[in-house]
Amino acid sequence: MVLSFNAIILALLTLYVIWMAWSEHQKETASTATLTPDQRKRFDAAYVFAQPASEYDADLQPHAAIAQRARIRKAIAIVLLIAVAFLILYRGL
């Protein structure tokens, strides 16, 4: 079996997307660990996807910036991985 150049590039980009999502998840988890239970509850109650970090309380803004970036990048990674799956299923390598 011979893999084409495009298949190799697709595999490398897929690995990069998985690594990106995993590393962003790790950053968000580390940031969440620094919050008190009260801060975590307030953040979860106030969280809105794509809301700027400046709209959160001052003590939540650093975590909000990290969480917002991580959640957006994880959503993008999911969309890209679904696109890769459809590409492989319907077109092949």
Side-chain angles (χ1 to χ4, degrees):
M1 181 173 123
V2 177
L3 292 177
S4 68
F5 179 73
N6 289 341
I8 294 169
I9 296 299
L10 181 66
L12 291 175
L13 289 175
T14 301
L15 289 175
Y16 170 74
V17 167
I18 292 169
W19 172 81
M20 176 188 69
W22 180 79
S23 65
E24 290 295 332
H25 178 73
Q26 294 300 319
K27 290 176 191 175
E28 183 182 8
T29 303
S31 179
T32 302
T34 65
L35 297 176
T36 65
D38 179 55
Q39 287 176 322
R40 188 175 304 140
K41 187 173 15 172
R42 286 189 299 123
F43 177 77
D44 289 340
Y47 180 77
V48 176
F49 195 73
Q51 179 180 355
S54 60
E55 294 184 13
Y56 291 94
D57 295 337
D59 62 334
L60 296 176
Q61 287 182 1
H63 174 68
I66 293 168
Q68 187 63 30
R69 175 187 162 146
R71 291 177 184 185
I72 288 173
R73 291 184 76 158
K74 286 189 288 187
I76 290 169
I78 290 169
V79 170
L80 289 175
L81 291 175
I82 290 170
V84 166
F86 278 116
L87 181 68
I88 291 171
L89 286 174
Y90 291 109
R91 183 150 188 248
L93 293 175

